[in-house]
């Protein structure tokens, strides 16, 4: 096999002591960046670009790639422990991850996130190694109609996130869709609902919205309820800090499907890891045997999105390396790095610069092992953060949230946005309205609208195009099934309504 | 007091302390990373004190971001500047936030920005933006970036005339992929369409990758962009470049006929890259930056960069740049007005 031989050559380069060092530097920096909300992988890679330019191309790119997938490991940590999404893809992780933390199972959640990330990250790289040419062709065939159908499926799955009251779930989702309409419209160039604020031309900053709703909303509610009692059940024994055999068994399917979904979504230009992690989360909720535990601390609810988030990296490297097309902000800056090295990213990169491409791919196998070794021993350390008394923990969460949100764009406007959504998150918790549908709708809404209008440009307004394209037809059929299924379950849901407080 | 504290201390096992230190270290790292604002700030003088704040209107990986980072690397290598000039991404609203940011830096000679025609188009087409490029201080224009039209390698079209003829035969059937409707690629095509009296559709995508993917995948028939976006695809036999939407042929694709040779006697907006400063930038500072960047364009490193990146060196010093910016803005306004994209004022 050609790929195996090339990969072996890649390992020969990646395993030199110097390059091993750069893998470790990259993944360690990535982990730190992932843990902190705000400063994301693109900004970090940009910061370290001047340093990496001094290195050999393979070494520099190995380090930059390490930041990229390392950040995805780190992102789950703050999400699980503090309900702060360290990066946008971690929002799906905190839904169940933080619930587990409150039950004293933070270690289990962190552990399963690390293990799932490792397995899925590696599967993603295996896919990158052997399937790159095939998947690249598929990704290019995936046009606006297919994209629209996929996003419709995602929006339909909001049904699965509604919790006990379908009505409240829909209110939340509708609010998310409305908020998503704020900002510039790329098709016509017009701007909508900005109130004359240039800061809103690109819409509401997602990090400010999600950190506000989840982290600040939670703090406000707990401060109100706090009576000096520890909110978190602190784990006492070391054994409780790691996932049990049962946890691993429960997460097998989640890790497997997350790996596949993440890899495929990653290969599509323009979709991204937030879409991948939410899709995987909802798929898991649909098929999990302990479905009713979702939102209240299901271990596979952590495993699925974390796996998808990490195998997405392997997928997203495919359009970059085999077509020279960046599908995301992070791969765009890596493309810039390739150019700065004097390489020509494009369809010929694999054949013209195998001495650079294959060491990067090989280093991703090594990096995933390094991340597992780095992260598993840190699980008990991180988990014990929760032993801090609340009078320390809550101010710390607020400080980390404010600093993190400010650092995304260096904008005070975003900080005020954060506070507004903190109040909204508090109100939603008081009224028992679930936050997940709002956030999912906010992420998918603009993608949905844009893909629909792009399709209408292609079809000159005709809807037949959705049925003519096979992939689009499949996704839409799945969405229809998903939308119809709760109708049969309404009776059951009504009986459950109002029994339990979710938060 | 001491006794009370002891209770807490006992709670804090060794591991907790490690965690505390870690959290602290992380927090500090976060602050450190953001501390790059306002590097300069020196008032007066010929040389900026400290690192210069180099503003771009795109996020990391965007066109201007890559351009600015490449310039800084080149200037460091050629020893034209000391230390690093950190690039500051003020992205959002197609340059709207960067314009606002620059206006707020009035008189600070430690801040400059890399600009493109988007900086002219956005204030004209967006009500929210009150700052204009004419409020800022032009420093120097460095290069132009010829826009070329590409089709798939298996496409029947071999020239711009072919495309226009096809559009005439089948009105509104061809699809051009691109980004914002007010970007140079879209506007250049609009001028051609208006001149020939034909119509085709425009498919907007947020990311550059999606635009090329739509062309490769067959949803779009053609795309207009900088030559460097197509070089590798052409080499791989996937795309073909058929025309240059400008007055001069692109050095990378000398066979792609410029507009005049294709029989079009029209002026299209030119994609240019220049450097501007905040309002009321001191004359000494303008002179300093003008010289540093002009010196850069004489180096071998710049020449190689320009060649590989599909740019054409087109240096215009401050005064000249100011005049051409005023002209560009005027024709941009007319063009946007004709297309119905001008914001009400």
């Amino acid at each position: 096999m050609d790929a195996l031989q090339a990969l072996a050559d890649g390992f020969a380069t990646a395993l030199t002591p110097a390059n091993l060092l750069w893998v470790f530097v990259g993944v360690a920096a990535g982990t730190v960046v992932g843990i902190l909300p705000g400063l994301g992988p693109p900004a970090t890679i940009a910061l370290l670009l001047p340093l990496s330019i001094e290195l050999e191309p393979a070494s520099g790119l190995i380090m930059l790639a390490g930041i990229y997938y390392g950040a995805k490991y780190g992102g789950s940590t703050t999400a699980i422990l503090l309900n702060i999404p360290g990066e946008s893809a971690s929002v799906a992780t905190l839904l169940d991850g933080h619930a587990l933390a409150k039950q004293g199972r933070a270690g289990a959640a962190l552990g399963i996130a690390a293990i799932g990330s490792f397995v899925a990250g590696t599967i993603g790289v295996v896919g990158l190694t052997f399937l790159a040419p095939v998947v690249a062709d598929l990704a290019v065939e995936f046009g606006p109609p297919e994209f629209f159908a996929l996003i419709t499926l995602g929006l339909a799955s909001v049904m699965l996130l509604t919790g006990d009251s379908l009505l409240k779930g829909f209110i939340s989702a509708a609010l998310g869709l409305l908020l998503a309409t704020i900002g510039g419209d790329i098709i016509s160039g017009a701007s909508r609902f900005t109130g004359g604020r240039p800061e809103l031309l690109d819409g509401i900053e997602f990090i400010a919205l999600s950190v506000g709703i989840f982290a600040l909303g939670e703090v406000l509610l707990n401060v109100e309820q706090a009576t000096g009692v520890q909110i978190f059940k602190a784990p006492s024994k070391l054994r409780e800090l790691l996932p049990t055999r049962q946890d691993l068994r429960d997460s097998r399917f989640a890790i497997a499907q997350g790996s596949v979904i993440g890899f495929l979504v990653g290969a599509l230009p323009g979709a991204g890891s937030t879409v991948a992690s939410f899709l995987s989360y909802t798929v898991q909720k649909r098929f999990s045997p302990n479905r009713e535990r979702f939102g209240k601390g299901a271990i596979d609810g952590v495993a699925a999105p974390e796996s998808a988030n990490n195998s997405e990296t392997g997928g997203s490297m495919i359009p970059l390396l085999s077509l020279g097309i960046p599908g995301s902000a992070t791969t765009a800056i890596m493309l810039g790095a390739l150019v700065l090295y004097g390489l020509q990213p494009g369809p010929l990169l694999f054949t013209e610069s195998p001495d650079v491409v294959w060491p990067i791919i090989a280093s991703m196998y090594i990096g995933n092992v390094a991340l597992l070794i780095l992260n598993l021993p840190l699980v008990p350390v991180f988990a014990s953060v929760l032993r801090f008394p609340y009078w320390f923990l809550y101010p710390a969460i607020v400080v980390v949230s404010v600093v993190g949100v400010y650092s995304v764009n260096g904008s005070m406007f975003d900080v005020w946005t954060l506070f507004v959504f903190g109040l909204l998150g508090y109100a939603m918790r008081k009224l028992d309205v679930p936050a997940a549908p709002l956030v999912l709708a906010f992420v998918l809404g603009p993608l949905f609208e844009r893909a629909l209008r792009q399709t209408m440009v292609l079809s000159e307004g005709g809807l037949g195009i959705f049925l003519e394209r096979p992939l689009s037809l499949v996704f839409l059929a799945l969405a229809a099934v998903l939308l119809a299924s709760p109708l049969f379950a309404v009776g059951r849901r009504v009986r459950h309504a109002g029994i339990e407080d979710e938060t | 007091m001491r006794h009370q504290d002891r209770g807490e201390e006992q709670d804090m096992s060794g591991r907790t302390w490690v965690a505390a230190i870690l959290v602290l270290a992380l927090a500090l790292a976060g602050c450190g990373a953001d501390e790059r604002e306002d590097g300069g700030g020196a008032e007066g003088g010929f040389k900026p004190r400290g690192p210069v704040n180099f503003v771009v209107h795109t996020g990391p990986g965007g066109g201007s971001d890559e351009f600015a980072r490449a310039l800084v690397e080149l200037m460091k290598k050629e020893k034209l500047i000391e230390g690093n000039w950190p690039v500051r991404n003020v992205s959002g609203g197609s340059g709207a936030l960067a314009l606002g940011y620059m206006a707020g830096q009035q008189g600070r000679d430690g801040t400059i920005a890399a600009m493109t025609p988007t900086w002219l188009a956005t204030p004209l087409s967006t009500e929210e933006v009150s700052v204009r490029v004419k409020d800022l201080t032009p420093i120097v224009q460095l290069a132009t970036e010829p826009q070329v039209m590409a089709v798939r390698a298996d496409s029947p079209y071999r020239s711009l005339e072919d495309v226009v003829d096809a559009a005439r035969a089948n009105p509104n059937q061809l699809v051009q992929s691109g980004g914002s409707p007010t970007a140079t690629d879209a506007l250049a095509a609009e001028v051609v369409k208006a001149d020939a009296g034909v119509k085709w559709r425009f498919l907007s995508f947020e990311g550059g990758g999606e635009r090329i993917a739509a062309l490769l995948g067959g949803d779009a028939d053609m795309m207009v962009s900088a030559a460097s976006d197509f070089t590798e695809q052409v080499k791989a036999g996937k795309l073909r470049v058929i025309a240059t939407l400008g007055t001069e042929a692109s050095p990378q694709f000398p066979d792609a006929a410029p507009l005049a040779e294709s029989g079009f006697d029209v002026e299209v907006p030119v994609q240019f890259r220049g450097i501007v400063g905040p309002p009321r930038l001191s004359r000494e500072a303008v002179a300093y930056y003008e010289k540093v960047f002009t010196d850069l364009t004489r180096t071998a490193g710049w020449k190689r960069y320009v060649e590989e990146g599909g740019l054409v060196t087109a240096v215009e010093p401050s005064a000249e740049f100011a005049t051409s910016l005023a002209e560009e803005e005027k024709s941009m306004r007319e063009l946007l007005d004709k297309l119905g994209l001008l914001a009400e004022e």
Side-chain angles (χ1 to χ4, degrees), chain B residues 303-341:
Chain B
K303 283 177 185 137
R304 198 171 337 109
Y305 173 74
V306 163
E307 207 168 294
E308 281 167 8
L311 298 165
V312 177
T313 309
V315 178
E316 279 185 10
S318 179
E320 209 177 310
F321 188 30
T323 322
S324 57
L325 277 178
E327 280 165 21
E328 298 272 358
E329 187 179 41
K330 197 165 147 269
S331 46
M332 180 77 81
R333 176 190 292 274
E334 284 163 14
L335 184 55
L336 291 174
D337 194 19
K338 218 190 298 177
L339 298 172
L341 292 169

Short mmCIF file of all heavy atoms in Angstrom, two decimals, chain B residues 303-341:
data_model
loop_
_atom_site.label_atom_id
_atom_site.label_comp_id
_atom_site.label_asym_id
_atom_site.label_seq_id
_atom_site.Cartn_x
_atom_site.Cartn_y
_atom_site.Cartn_z
N LYS B 303 10.31 40.72 -3.94
CA LYS B 303 10.07 40.37 -5.34
C LYS B 303 9.64 38.91 -5.47
O LYS B 303 8.74 38.59 -6.24
CB LYS B 303 11.32 40.65 -6.18
CG LYS B 303 11.41 42.16 -6.43
CD LYS B 303 12.63 42.61 -7.19
CE LYS B 303 12.63 44.15 -7.23
NZ LYS B 303 13.94 44.72 -6.98
N ARG B 304 10.28 38.05 -4.67
CA ARG B 304 9.90 36.64 -4.71
C ARG B 304 8.47 36.47 -4.18
O ARG B 304 7.65 35.76 -4.75
CB ARG B 304 10.87 35.80 -3.87
CG ARG B 304 10.80 34.33 -4.22
CD ARG B 304 11.91 33.50 -3.55
NE ARG B 304 13.09 34.23 -3.17
CZ ARG B 304 13.43 34.49 -1.90
NH1 ARG B 304 12.66 34.06 -0.91
NH2 ARG B 304 14.53 35.14 -1.62
N TYR B 305 8.17 37.18 -3.08
CA TYR B 305 6.84 37.08 -2.47
C TYR B 305 5.76 37.50 -3.46
O TYR B 305 4.74 36.85 -3.62
CB TYR B 305 6.78 37.95 -1.21
CG TYR B 305 5.40 38.04 -0.62
CD1 TYR B 305 4.86 36.96 0.07
CD2 TYR B 305 4.62 39.18 -0.80
CE1 TYR B 305 3.57 37.03 0.58
CE2 TYR B 305 3.34 39.25 -0.28
CZ TYR B 305 2.82 38.18 0.41
OH TYR B 305 1.55 38.23 0.90
N VAL B 306 6.01 38.61 -4.14
CA VAL B 306 5.04 39.14 -5.09
C VAL B 306 4.80 38.16 -6.24
O VAL B 306 3.68 37.91 -6.65
CB VAL B 306 5.57 40.49 -5.63
CG1 VAL B 306 4.87 40.90 -6.89
CG2 VAL B 306 5.43 41.57 -4.58
N GLU B 307 5.91 37.60 -6.71
CA GLU B 307 5.81 36.67 -7.83
C GLU B 307 4.98 35.44 -7.44
O GLU B 307 4.08 35.03 -8.17
CB GLU B 307 7.23 36.24 -8.20
CG GLU B 307 7.40 35.84 -9.64
CD GLU B 307 8.89 35.72 -9.95
OE1 GLU B 307 9.60 36.76 -9.92
OE2 GLU B 307 9.33 34.58 -10.15
N GLU B 308 5.30 34.88 -6.26
CA GLU B 308 4.60 33.66 -5.83
C GLU B 308 3.14 33.95 -5.48
O GLU B 308 2.27 33.11 -5.68
CB GLU B 308 5.30 33.02 -4.63
CG GLU B 308 6.53 32.24 -5.04
CD GLU B 308 7.40 31.88 -3.85
OE1 GLU B 308 6.98 32.10 -2.69
OE2 GLU B 308 8.51 31.38 -4.09
N GLY B 309 2.90 35.14 -4.94
CA GLY B 309 1.54 35.45 -4.50
C GLY B 309 0.66 36.05 -5.57
O GLY B 309 -0.49 36.39 -5.31
N GLY B 310 1.17 36.20 -6.79
CA GLY B 310 0.35 36.73 -7.87
C GLY B 310 0.06 38.22 -7.73
O GLY B 310 -0.94 38.71 -8.22
N LEU B 311 0.94 38.95 -7.05
CA LEU B 311 0.74 40.40 -6.91
C LEU B 311 1.59 41.14 -7.95
O LEU B 311 2.49 40.56 -8.56
CB LEU B 311 1.17 40.85 -5.51
CG LEU B 311 0.42 40.27 -4.32
CD1 LEU B 311 1.19 40.51 -3.04
CD2 LEU B 311 -0.96 40.89 -4.22
N VAL B 312 1.29 42.43 -8.12
CA VAL B 312 2.09 43.27 -8.99
C VAL B 312 2.51 44.48 -8.15
O VAL B 312 1.66 45.16 -7.57
CB VAL B 312 1.28 43.76 -10.21
CG1 VAL B 312 2.12 44.71 -11.05
CG2 VAL B 312 0.81 42.58 -11.04
N THR B 313 3.82 44.73 -8.07
CA THR B 313 4.28 45.87 -7.29
C THR B 313 3.75 47.16 -7.91
O THR B 313 3.89 47.38 -9.12
CB THR B 313 5.82 45.92 -7.26
OG1 THR B 313 6.29 44.64 -6.84
CG2 THR B 313 6.32 46.98 -6.29
N ALA B 314 3.11 47.98 -7.12
CA ALA B 314 2.56 49.25 -7.61
C ALA B 314 2.65 50.27 -6.49
O ALA B 314 1.68 50.56 -5.82
CB ALA B 314 1.11 49.05 -8.05
N VAL B 315 3.88 50.78 -6.29
CA VAL B 315 4.11 51.69 -5.17
C VAL B 315 3.58 53.09 -5.49
O VAL B 315 3.86 53.64 -6.55
CB VAL B 315 5.62 51.77 -4.83
CG1 VAL B 315 5.87 52.76 -3.71
CG2 VAL B 315 6.14 50.40 -4.45
N GLU B 316 2.78 53.62 -4.58
CA GLU B 316 2.31 55.00 -4.68
C GLU B 316 2.58 55.65 -3.35
O GLU B 316 2.03 55.24 -2.34
CB GLU B 316 0.80 55.04 -4.96
CG GLU B 316 0.44 54.82 -6.41
CD GLU B 316 -1.06 54.98 -6.64
OE1 GLU B 316 -1.77 55.45 -5.71
OE2 GLU B 316 -1.52 54.62 -7.73
N PRO B 317 3.45 56.68 -3.31
CA PRO B 317 3.72 57.35 -2.03
C PRO B 317 2.49 58.10 -1.52
O PRO B 317 1.50 58.26 -2.25
CB PRO B 317 4.86 58.31 -2.36
CG PRO B 317 4.90 58.42 -3.84
CD PRO B 317 4.26 57.19 -4.40
N SER B 318 2.59 58.55 -0.30
CA SER B 318 1.45 59.07 0.45
C SER B 318 0.53 60.01 -0.34
O SER B 318 -0.67 59.77 -0.43
CB SER B 318 1.97 59.77 1.71
OG SER B 318 0.90 60.29 2.43
N ALA B 319 1.11 61.07 -0.93
CA ALA B 319 0.27 62.08 -1.59
C ALA B 319 -0.48 61.48 -2.77
O ALA B 319 -1.69 61.67 -2.95
CB ALA B 319 1.15 63.24 -2.06
N GLU B 320 0.26 60.71 -3.57
CA GLU B 320 -0.32 60.07 -4.75
C GLU B 320 -1.42 59.08 -4.35
O GLU B 320 -2.48 59.00 -4.97
CB GLU B 320 0.81 59.35 -5.48
CG GLU B 320 0.65 59.21 -6.97
CD GLU B 320 1.89 58.53 -7.53
OE1 GLU B 320 3.01 58.98 -7.20
OE2 GLU B 320 1.73 57.54 -8.24
N PHE B 321 -1.12 58.31 -3.31
CA PHE B 321 -2.06 57.31 -2.80
C PHE B 321 -3.35 57.99 -2.36
O PHE B 321 -4.46 57.51 -2.64
CB PHE B 321 -1.40 56.55 -1.64
CG PHE B 321 -2.18 55.37 -1.14
CD1 PHE B 321 -3.02 54.63 -1.98
CD2 PHE B 321 -2.06 54.95 0.19
CE1 PHE B 321 -3.71 53.52 -1.51
CE2 PHE B 321 -2.75 53.85 0.66
CZ PHE B 321 -3.58 53.13 -0.18
N ALA B 322 -3.21 59.16 -1.70
CA ALA B 322 -4.40 59.90 -1.24
C ALA B 322 -5.28 60.28 -2.42
O ALA B 322 -6.51 60.13 -2.38
CB ALA B 322 -3.97 61.13 -0.47
N THR B 323 -4.64 60.76 -3.50
CA THR B 323 -5.41 61.17 -4.68
C THR B 323 -6.13 59.97 -5.29
O THR B 323 -7.32 60.05 -5.61
CB THR B 323 -4.47 61.77 -5.75
OG1 THR B 323 -3.48 62.53 -5.09
CG2 THR B 323 -5.23 62.61 -6.73
N SER B 324 -5.41 58.86 -5.45
CA SER B 324 -6.06 57.74 -6.11
C SER B 324 -7.14 57.12 -5.22
O SER B 324 -8.16 56.63 -5.71
CB SER B 324 -5.04 56.69 -6.57
OG SER B 324 -4.27 56.24 -5.52
N LEU B 325 -6.95 57.20 -3.89
CA LEU B 325 -8.01 56.70 -3.01
C LEU B 325 -9.29 57.50 -3.20
O LEU B 325 -10.39 56.95 -3.26
CB LEU B 325 -7.57 56.78 -1.55
CG LEU B 325 -6.70 55.64 -1.01
CD1 LEU B 325 -6.31 55.91 0.44
CD2 LEU B 325 -7.44 54.31 -1.10
N ALA B 326 -9.13 58.83 -3.33
CA ALA B 326 -10.30 59.69 -3.53
C ALA B 326 -11.00 59.34 -4.83
O ALA B 326 -12.24 59.25 -4.89
CB ALA B 326 -9.87 61.16 -3.52
N GLU B 327 -10.20 59.09 -5.88
CA GLU B 327 -10.79 58.71 -7.17
C GLU B 327 -11.49 57.35 -7.09
O GLU B 327 -12.61 57.18 -7.58
CB GLU B 327 -9.71 58.66 -8.25
CG GLU B 327 -9.34 60.02 -8.80
CD GLU B 327 -8.04 59.99 -9.58
OE1 GLU B 327 -7.65 58.88 -10.04
OE2 GLU B 327 -7.40 61.04 -9.72
N GLU B 328 -10.79 56.40 -6.45
CA GLU B 328 -11.36 55.05 -6.30
C GLU B 328 -12.69 55.12 -5.57
O GLU B 328 -13.64 54.42 -5.91
CB GLU B 328 -10.41 54.14 -5.52
CG GLU B 328 -9.07 53.91 -6.18
CD GLU B 328 -9.09 52.72 -7.13
OE1 GLU B 328 -10.14 52.07 -7.23
OE2 GLU B 328 -8.05 52.46 -7.76
N GLU B 329 -12.73 55.97 -4.52
CA GLU B 329 -13.95 56.04 -3.75
C GLU B 329 -15.10 56.59 -4.58
O GLU B 329 -16.23 56.13 -4.50
CB GLU B 329 -13.76 56.88 -2.48
CG GLU B 329 -14.98 56.81 -1.58
CD GLU B 329 -14.85 57.59 -0.30
OE1 GLU B 329 -14.30 58.71 -0.35
OE2 GLU B 329 -15.32 57.09 0.74
N LYS B 330 -14.76 57.58 -5.41
CA LYS B 330 -15.78 58.19 -6.25
C LYS B 330 -16.36 57.16 -7.22
O LYS B 330 -17.58 57.01 -7.35
CB LYS B 330 -15.18 59.38 -7.02
CG LYS B 330 -16.21 60.31 -7.59
CD LYS B 330 -15.57 61.64 -8.01
CE LYS B 330 -16.28 62.22 -9.21
NZ LYS B 330 -15.72 61.81 -10.50
N SER B 331 -15.46 56.42 -7.90
CA SER B 331 -16.00 55.46 -8.87
C SER B 331 -16.68 54.29 -8.16
O SER B 331 -17.64 53.72 -8.69
CB SER B 331 -14.91 54.97 -9.83
OG SER B 331 -13.75 54.63 -9.14
N MET B 332 -16.20 53.95 -6.97
CA MET B 332 -16.87 52.91 -6.19
C MET B 332 -18.29 53.33 -5.84
O MET B 332 -19.24 52.54 -5.94
CB MET B 332 -16.07 52.64 -4.91
CG MET B 332 -16.65 51.59 -4.00
SD MET B 332 -16.36 49.92 -4.60
CE MET B 332 -14.68 49.63 -4.06
N ARG B 333 -18.44 54.60 -5.47
CA ARG B 333 -19.77 55.11 -5.12
C ARG B 333 -20.71 55.03 -6.32
O ARG B 333 -21.86 54.57 -6.20
CB ARG B 333 -19.65 56.56 -4.63
CG ARG B 333 -20.98 57.22 -4.33
CD ARG B 333 -20.81 58.71 -4.08
NE ARG B 333 -20.07 58.97 -2.85
CZ ARG B 333 -20.66 59.04 -1.64
NH1 ARG B 333 -21.95 58.87 -1.53
NH2 ARG B 333 -19.94 59.26 -0.57
N GLU B 334 -20.20 55.45 -7.48
CA GLU B 334 -21.03 55.40 -8.69
C GLU B 334 -21.45 53.97 -9.01
O GLU B 334 -22.61 53.70 -9.35
CB GLU B 334 -20.27 55.99 -9.88
CG GLU B 334 -20.20 57.51 -9.86
CD GLU B 334 -19.13 58.06 -10.79
OE1 GLU B 334 -18.64 57.29 -11.64
OE2 GLU B 334 -18.79 59.25 -10.66
N LEU B 335 -20.48 53.07 -8.90
CA LEU B 335 -20.74 51.67 -9.22
C LEU B 335 -21.78 51.07 -8.27
O LEU B 335 -22.76 50.44 -8.71
CB LEU B 335 -19.42 50.89 -9.14
CG LEU B 335 -19.45 49.43 -9.52
CD1 LEU B 335 -20.02 49.25 -10.91
CD2 LEU B 335 -18.04 48.85 -9.46
N LEU B 336 -21.59 51.30 -6.97
CA LEU B 336 -22.53 50.75 -5.99
C LEU B 336 -23.91 51.35 -6.18
O LEU B 336 -24.93 50.67 -6.02
CB LEU B 336 -22.02 51.02 -4.56
CG LEU B 336 -20.77 50.25 -4.15
CD1 LEU B 336 -20.29 50.72 -2.78
CD2 LEU B 336 -21.04 48.76 -4.11
N ASP B 337 -23.95 52.64 -6.54
CA ASP B 337 -25.22 53.31 -6.78
C ASP B 337 -25.95 52.65 -7.95
O ASP B 337 -27.14 52.35 -7.89
CB ASP B 337 -24.97 54.80 -7.06
CG ASP B 337 -26.25 55.61 -6.97
OD1 ASP B 337 -27.22 55.10 -6.34
OD2 ASP B 337 -26.30 56.71 -7.53
N LYS B 338 -25.18 52.38 -9.02
CA LYS B 338 -25.76 51.76 -10.21
C LYS B 338 -26.32 50.37 -9.89
O LYS B 338 -27.32 49.94 -10.44
CB LYS B 338 -24.68 51.67 -11.30
CG LYS B 338 -25.21 51.93 -12.70
CD LYS B 338 -24.19 51.59 -13.77
CE LYS B 338 -22.91 52.39 -13.71
NZ LYS B 338 -21.93 51.95 -14.74
N LEU B 339 -25.64 49.69 -8.98
CA LEU B 339 -26.04 48.33 -8.64
C LEU B 339 -27.09 48.29 -7.53
O LEU B 339 -27.56 47.23 -7.13
CB LEU B 339 -24.83 47.51 -8.19
CG LEU B 339 -23.73 47.33 -9.23
CD1 LEU B 339 -22.52 46.68 -8.61
CD2 LEU B 339 -24.24 46.51 -10.40
N GLY B 340 -27.44 49.48 -7.02
CA GLY B 340 -28.43 49.52 -5.95
C GLY B 340 -27.89 49.05 -4.61
O GLY B 340 -28.64 48.61 -3.75
N LEU B 341 -26.57 49.12 -4.43
CA LEU B 341 -25.97 48.64 -3.18
C LEU B 341 -25.54 49.78 -2.27
O LEU B 341 -25.00 49.55 -1.20
CB LEU B 341 -24.75 47.76 -3.50
CG LEU B 341 -25.05 46.42 -4.17
CD1 LEU B 341 -23.77 45.77 -4.66
CD2 LEU B 341 -25.77 45.49 -3.20
#
